[in-house]
Amino acid sequence: MAMTMTGEVQLPASREVVWAKLNDPAVLKSCIPGCEELNVAGENQFEAVAKMKVGPVSARFKGKVTLSDFDPPNSYKISGEGEGGVAGFAKGGATVALAEKDGGTLLSYNVEAQIGGKLAQLGQRLINGAAKKLADEFFAKFAEAVKTG
């Protein structure tokens, strides 16, 4: 099952500060919902473990995340794939763009993902709702991390 999601978040910091936070593994780990591990695996590569629950399906996903297409402090691409055992798999990518706006930074994102296994059987509406909730939770925590410096 394929899904797409776009959004924007206004952050109370300069592009340079937001860019630095987007590239800080400790900040990302603290903001990603359910993230148990986020370890550097190479240049611009991370290995992650996250526990997720979507509807009745709960699983621990293990996967890889790669950052590419850098244009500091304006944009980059995040690509990843993860396996959740019987729950299924997820893979995809997101482009993240930063622009100065209203004395802060407007972060825009565009996500494209594929999911399979039990997760894909839950239905588009439940998956999209869960994905939006996870994105909202991430950006709320990220905005707090940016604000506290």
Side-chain angles (χ1 to χ4, degrees):
M1 172 189 306
M3 62 172 276
T4 58
M5 186 171 55
T6 59
E8 293 181 339
V9 181
Q10 179 69 28
L11 299 167
S14 69
R15 271 190 314 176
E16 290 74 18
V17 169
V18 173
W19 179 260
K21 298 282 186 186
L22 279 174
N23 287 281
D24 183 336
V27 171
L28 294 176
K29 180 182 182 215
S30 71
C31 295
I32 296 169
C35 188
E36 297 175 347
E37 294 178 35
L38 185 66
N39 302 309
V40 176
E43 190 174 346
N44 304 320
Q45 293 190 327
F46 304 93
E47 289 181 347
V49 176
K51 190 171 186 180
M52 301 278 171
K53 181 167 175 42
V54 180
V57 178
S58 182
R60 177 172 276 116
F61 284 85
K62 293 181 180 178
K64 293 183 180 355
V65 178
T66 304
L67 307 179
S68 62
D69 300 347
F70 288 93
D71 179 15
N74 304 305
S75 64
Y76 71 12
K77 182 174 182 172
I78 304 170
S79 305
E81 54 185 74
E83 284 289 331
V86 294
F89 70 89
K91 65 180 177 180
T95 52
V96 178
L98 305 178
E100 291 178 16
K101 183 178 179 193
D102 298 335
T105 300
L106 182 68
L107 183 152
S108 305
Y109 60 92
N110 185 348
V111 177
E112 292 185 17
Q114 290 274 1
I115 59 169
K118 280 190 178 180
L119 282 175
Q121 296 169 3
L122 293 176
Q124 192 82 32
R125 182 176 288 159
L126 183 59
I127 293 295
N128 286 345
K132 179 166 180 7
K133 182 177 175 242
L134 289 170
D136 290 347
E137 192 176 327
F138 171 85
F139 286 112
K141 288 180 179 179
F142 187 74
E144 196 56 42
V146 165
K147 205 184 303 178
T148 58

